[in-house]
Amino acid sequence: MHEASRNGRAVRLRAWAATPLLVVLLTGFAVRIAALIAMRDDLSIRVPLLDARHYIDTATALAQGGGWPPGPHFMSPIYPFLLSGLFRLAPPTTLVVQWAQLILGLGTVAFVTLAAGRHSVLAGWIAGLLYALCGPAIAYENHVLMEPLIAFSLALLIWLGSTEERPGPARLAAVGLAIGVAAAGRPTYLLLLPLAWLVMARRERERQPSPASVAAMAIGVALVILPPTIHNVRATGRWSPVTTSGGLNLYIGNHAQASGIYSLPPGLFLEKDPTATRSASRLAGRQLTPAQASSYYAGLAWNWMVSNPIPTAKLWLRKAGYMMGPDEVPQIESFDTIRRDHLVFRWIGWIGFPLYLLLAALGLRPGHRNPTLRRLTIAVLIAGAAAHLIFFSTGRYRAAMLPAMAILAGMGGRSLVERLRGEPARAIGLWPMLIPLLILMVAPRIDSRAAQAWSRHQDGIRYEMLGDFREATKAYRAALAADSTQGESWHNLAACEVRAELLEEAAVHYRASLRHLGENPVTLANLAVVYGRLGQDARALEHFDRAVAADPADLAVRVDRGVALYRLGRLPEAFAAWREVGSENPSEPSLTHTLVRLRAGGVELPPDLVRLARPE
């Protein structure tokens, strides 16, 4: 009789423990479906830019049997590699990616719920619902970005590593594999390898993890990290783990004008130089490879930090403030714009990092309930914070930390419920929440007008990609109305006006762009072309000279400079300019086109230039 009663209670307990996962998954699914329907036609989703465009294009090429782009990996290869597998089964569209990441997001919800449930059923409920309804997490799941993959791998890692029993080699290898996936997306998560080992070592106390177990974890990491690293070593002949963008990102986040968020240093113009290799070559005064450029930028950053310890400390403190602050710091995508444009995100937009931070303060309190879970979660947050401090703070970096924060918030939420259920005097135990509240109050805030301007600027680029230059012009004007210091918006507005044959207006706006961007070689060259079309050849030559000085590697601009010299009647100088380009690249398309056009117009060219007009 008593045995039957105990069995009945055990069945009910298992049913109660399973209930949170089912309810949380259904809640997360409903909200994510609503978000996907709302965002499937969003311009920022329909027309991917920069990172997202690279991921889509690379994955599509791989799925169609092509190879990787030439050279080393500049961006993380694991995300487009996994997407390519998806694109072998489904069309290479953003909608397919949204559906896949919806499922991935639900997997993250499940692991957050299960991991927090090892602390208590109530903690699992709270953590699961907090992540299921997390506005920023759901927004990133709708973008073609690797943040949902990193978040999933970190939630899986915490679930795998937080068991009370001693993990065997297979589980440790799976932990290493999860670390490897996160680190392949963002190499700072390699810090989790020693941190996770320390957590395991402390759990064992008297029985240190065996060398075989430690090796199993390292093998799991290596399975993911070694292939892209070997690819880079073969492409560059240098040690370049995962990607060659680390040096550039380090410099973007640590220079004299750095603000703590993404802000390009003076002299870097990425419009025609997305890897910034040409910019590095220009600054170094010699031709650099992508790997050498990364090392060069890393050297600039470290030299500045070592020479300026106090400004560096202040800058890192500011980065930490942005990381823990109330704002989702935009990079390309803007959560504030998403929340403004879509009702579902206005409902759930308040569920995110700030709320997690308040509750997590209670979850940090040491206790007897699964200390390994708490320590491993904190280890994940330390590794995630490293990206903010070492590079720059952005909502993208924070998105990967949300599962760990939700787990701590679940623990804290359980403590909060216990305190509120107890005697009123026990509410005094809520004082740890005052610390994150103070942080949220004093943390730096982003400039909302500048963020709005940048979002409208991105819309303009997307409209240009769609060929809708009228809407693009409106978007750039809206960006400048919000922030007239956006040099990129002045530049792109002028380019749209050139297409509309509004040359005088374009010249004015290119000059405005130069006031804010400095000696941008692309802007200088475009303004020179406008002056040429206006018949102002002397001013055109002046700006071509400045463009060549800013970027001598742009052969097409040097060819156009020769055209300006020719139109001014300075034929020997024009011929010399073209010969110089021909000596560097006899097959330069712009040179061949220019010389062929001149010959067709009856211009008599020197014999050596005639040969360049007919390259073999």
Side-chain angles (χ1 to χ4, degrees):
M1 182 75 175
H2 293 296
E3 183 69 26
S5 176
R6 281 197 298 271
N7 289 339
R9 283 197 299 271
V11 170
R12 288 194 297 273
L13 183 60
R14 285 195 297 269
W16 166 247
T19 301
L21 182 58
L22 179 61
V23 172
V24 165
L25 285 176
L26 288 175
T27 303
F29 179 74
V31 175
R32 280 163 172 76
I33 284 291
L36 187 149
I37 292 172
M39 295 189 69
R40 62 181 177 179
D41 292 325
D42 189 289
L43 182 66
S44 67
I45 306 295
R46 262 190 316 124
V47 187
L49 291 181
L50 299 176
D51 297 23
R53 183 76 267 159
H54 167 81
Y55 295 142
I56 288 279
D57 291 345
T58 303
T60 302
L62 291 173
Q64 294 173 350
W68 292 100
H73 296 305
F74 182 74
M75 295 184 187
S76 170
I78 189 168
Y79 184 62
F81 174 75
L82 294 175
L83 281 185
S84 70
L86 176 65
F87 290 165
R88 287 183 172 92
L89 303 174
T93 65
T94 55
L95 183 59
V96 167
V97 178
Q98 285 177 278
W99 275 106
Q101 293 188 164
L102 183 151
I103 297 170
L104 195 67
L106 289 176
T108 308
V109 170
F111 287 124
V112 166
T113 306
L114 292 171
R118 286 177 174 157
H119 181 272
S120 68
V121 173
L122 182 57
W125 267 102
I126 296 172
L129 286 173
L130 284 174
Y131 196 79
L133 299 171
C134 180
I138 295 171
Y140 278 106
E141 289 167 12
N142 280 279
H143 282 84
V144 185
L145 294 171
M146 63 183 173
E147 275 59 37
L149 175 63
I150 300 176
F152 174 84
S153 66
L154 295 176
L156 174 61
L157 159 66
I158 295 171
W159 177 72
L160 286 170
S162 61
T163 55
E164 291 287 3
E165 66 272 12
R166 185 181 186 183
R171 182 176 286 267
L172 285 173
V175 167
L177 199 65
I179 294 173
V181 171
R186 190 151 295 121
T188 48
Y189 281 108
L190 281 173
L191 286 171
L192 279 173
L193 186 57
L195 290 175
W197 183 87
L198 289 172
V199 170
M200 305 287 180
R202 182 164 183 180
R203 171 169 55 192
E204 297 299 329
R205 285 195 178 95
E206 298 177 359
R207 295 183 300 172
Q208 294 292 326
S210 67
S213 296
V214 176
M217 191 186 302
I219 289 171
V221 174
L223 285 174
V224 185
I225 296 299
L226 279 182
T229 301
I230 292 171
H231 171 93
N232 289 345
V233 171
R234 286 178 173 174
T236 66
R238 297 163 61 99
W239 175 253
S240 301
V242 188
T243 71
T244 59
S245 60
L248 175 61
N249 285 332
L250 184 66
Y251 183 44
I252 289 173
N254 300 276
H255 58 91
Q257 289 77 36
S259 62
I261 61 177
Y262 183 89
S263 54
L264 287 179
L268 260 63
F269 308 110
L270 305 184
E271 183 173 340
K272 287 188 175 181
D273 184 23
T275 65
T277 301
R278 277 167 51 179
S279 296
S281 300
R282 185 178 69 252
L283 293 170
R286 64 185 190 280
Q287 188 63 38
L288 300 178
T289 65
Q292 290 170 335
S294 182
S295 299
Y296 176 76
Y297 287 126
L300 291 179
W302 284 116
N303 288 340
W304 180 81
M305 288 188 282
V306 171
S307 303
N308 301 275
I310 294 178
T312 297
K314 291 180 178 178
L315 176 62
W316 282 40
L317 186 61
R318 187 172 181 83
K319 294 176 187 178
Y322 279 123
M323 179 186 71
M324 294 189 290
D327 297 324
E328 289 295 325
V329 179
Q331 187 170 336
I332 299 172
E333 61 295 321
S334 169
F335 180 68
D336 285 343
T337 300
I338 292 171
R339 181 164 47 190
R340 181 196 66 205
D341 292 345
H342 301 290
L343 180 62
V344 63
F345 287 99
R346 290 201 291 275
W347 289 344
I348 62 173
W350 59 278
I351 302 176
F353 198 92
L355 175 62
Y356 292 0
L357 188 63
L358 289 170
L359 293 173
L362 298 177
L364 288 171
R365 182 175 62 87
H368 66 281
R369 291 174 178 265
N370 199 333
T372 301
L373 172 64
R374 180 181 290 102
R375 292 168 190 154
L376 192 56
T377 303
I378 292 172
V380 168
L381 292 176
I382 290 171
H388 290 263
L389 299 178
I390 295 172
F391 301 118
F392 47 84
S393 188
T394 172
R396 284 191 193 183
Y397 293 170
R398 199 163 79 168
M401 300 167 65
L402 290 172
M405 285 297 295
I407 292 170
L408 275 184
M411 299 180 197
R414 177 189 176 278
S415 297
L416 177 62
V417 170
E418 284 186 341
R419 283 169 167 76
L420 295 179
R421 280 177 177 173
E423 296 295 329
R426 295 183 65 185
I428 297 174
L430 302 180
W431 68 265
M433 297 181 72
L434 295 176
I435 298 173
L437 184 62
L438 180 62
I439 291 173
L440 291 170
M441 291 173 62
V442 302
R445 305 296 302 270
I446 62 171
D447 184 338
S448 59
R449 290 184 64 83
Q452 179 186 353
W454 187 243
S455 179
R456 295 299 290 143
H457 175 81
Q458 302 296 323
D459 287 346
I461 296 175
R462 292 182 171 97
Y463 281 124
E464 281 196 76
M465 293 175 67
L466 293 172
D468 191 340
F469 296 100
R470 178 176 297 181
E471 287 299 321
T473 299
K474 291 180 182 177
Y476 293 134
R477 290 190 182 278
L480 292 166
D483 182 6
S484 62
T485 67
Q486 289 274 6
E488 295 90 348
S489 297
W490 286 116
H491 174 102
N492 290 11
L493 173 62
C496 289
E497 289 167 338
V498 169
R499 286 182 172 274
E501 296 295 327
L502 302 173
L503 299 182
E504 294 285 358
E505 292 88 338
V508 171
H509 294 147
Y510 274 134
R511 289 196 296 269
S513 176
L514 290 172
R515 286 196 295 271
H516 299 292
L517 293 182
E519 293 290 280
N520 184 336
V522 178
T523 305
L524 287 166
N526 288 2
L527 179 55
V529 170
V530 169
Y531 281 136
R533 291 178 61 178
L534 289 170
Q536 301 177 31
D537 294 320
R539 298 189 74 178
L541 178 60
E542 173 197 344
H543 286 80
F544 277 130
D545 286 340
R546 290 166 60 185
V548 170
D551 186 6
D554 194 329
L555 298 183
V557 172
R558 288 162 59 183
V559 170
D560 288 341
R561 176 180 174 273
V563 173
L565 288 166
Y566 178 85
R567 292 178 60 171
L568 287 169
R570 296 162 59 174
L571 272 59
E573 293 173 79
F575 295 158
W578 293 330
R579 287 190 185 99
E580 188 176 348
V581 172
S583 67
E584 294 185 33
N585 182 11
S587 301
E588 166 61 34
S590 62
L591 177 62
T592 302
H593 175 75
T594 297
L595 296 178
V596 167
R597 188 181 60 186
L598 289 173
R599 288 196 70 204
V603 176
E604 187 173 342
L605 296 173
D608 57 333
L609 292 181
V610 171
R611 287 193 295 273
L612 287 174
R614 297 193 302 268
E616 297 180 2

